[in-house]
Amino acid sequence: MLWEFIATIFAGLGAAGIALFIRTLSRKKAPRWLIPVFAGAGMLGFQIHSEYSWFEHQSSRLPEGVEVVRTVQETAPWRPWSFWYPQTLRFIAADIQNAAVNQLNPELMLVDLYFFERRMSARRVPQVIHCTANARADFTEALQIPAPGDALTEDWRPLEAEDPLLALVCAKAKTK
């Protein structure tokens, strides 16, 4: 975040320099208020650009085998342009390549989910996916792993049949 702050300051200084150059070319006939207006517009423009390019930059840095399974687009009244073009400020990625099949119940897969949010550190959360019941649960020591054909406990959360997480993880289970 410090580097983004420094880059924003330099974007403002660069835009103010352009305004100074315009004033010099016009032999000081261009108004003086042009300098702070250009500086503010440069900083605002840089921030908007970095907000909108963050998701593409972060997702391009994911290692091979880690797939984006969900994005969250947001709008905000203090960013009125986001109502026309929402920003992706959060997303979830799953480590499909390292997903593991449960040895006792092959309907279960263990996968790491990574939660990314703008200006925050990524978080890793291990999840258990039940491919036939279309459900997921946080992997903890207290989680009761059902035997094949057993009912699920209240720890499990249902997933829609077309959920990308379910599709990617369970497709890998079928290939193993």
Side-chain angles (χ1 to χ4, degrees), residues 37-140:
V37 167
F38 267 56
M43 290 191 291
L44 182 63
F46 174 77
Q47 279 299 306
I48 291 170
H49 169 72
S50 67
E51 293 275 330
Y52 279 105
S53 62
W54 172 81
F55 170 67
E56 287 80 17
H57 176 70
Q58 283 299 114
S59 60
S60 71
R61 297 182 67 209
L62 293 175
E64 189 176 325
V66 178
E67 302 283 332
V68 174
V69 292
R70 183 161 298 133
T71 60
V72 178
Q73 294 188 330
E74 297 178 2
T75 60
W78 56 88
R79 295 186 297 242
W81 53 85
S82 67
F83 289 104
W84 290 281
Y85 188 63
Q87 297 170 301
T88 303
L89 298 177
R90 293 183 289 157
F91 71 95
I92 302 171
D95 188 358
I96 305 300
Q97 185 171 351
N98 294 317
V101 178
N102 184 290
Q103 300 299 319
L104 301 175
N105 185 350
E107 300 169 345
L108 300 176
M109 294 285 292
L110 177 64
V111 64
D112 286 330
L113 294 185
Y114 295 95
F115 292 82
F116 291 88
E117 187 170 356
R118 176 109 169 100
R119 295 188 178 98
M120 300 292 283
S121 297
R123 290 183 305 127
R124 181 181 73 83
V125 178
Q127 293 281 298
V128 178
I129 308 295
H130 197 300
C131 292
T132 56
N134 294 351
R136 70 171 180 82
D138 292 338
F139 181 71
T140 62

